[in-house]
Amino acid sequence: MMEDPEIRRAAWLMVERYGDEAGFVTAARADKLMDAGDLDGAAVWRRILEAVEELQRTERTSDDQVN
């Protein structure tokens, strides 16, 4: 999913800043934009959310392999 470098970077920044709460914060931003009628902005943040979830899955899988 993370083919767009800007989406990937935004997702990485969200995970770095918010840790385990990154998905929640990202979804809330998408919802706020949707409520405001900014469909394009909401769509971008939904893509970032997908990338955040992918990053977090990858991190958990990597951590499981180390233990």
Side-chain angles (χ1 to χ4, degrees), residues 41-52:
V44 169
W45 279 95
R46 289 287 174 208
R47 289 180 61 204
I48 295 168
L49 176 59
E50 290 177 19
V52 164

Side-chain angles (χ1 to χ4, degrees), residues 30-42:
D31 290 345
K32 187 173 183 177
L33 289 167
M34 181 68 78
D35 291 345
D38 183 353
L39 302 180
D40 291 336

Side-chain angles (χ1 to χ4, degrees), residues 6-23:
E6 291 179 20
I7 296 294
R8 182 176 42 241
R9 175 142 175 80
W12 183 84
L13 290 170
M14 293 300 288
V15 171
E16 283 293 307
R17 181 168 185 174
Y18 296 103
D20 290 340
E21 297 295 314

Side-chain angles (χ1 to χ4, degrees), residues 58-67:
T58 302
E59 288 177 357
R60 286 187 195 108
T61 302
S62 296
D63 290 345
D64 290 343
Q65 291 176 0
V66 172
N67 294 330

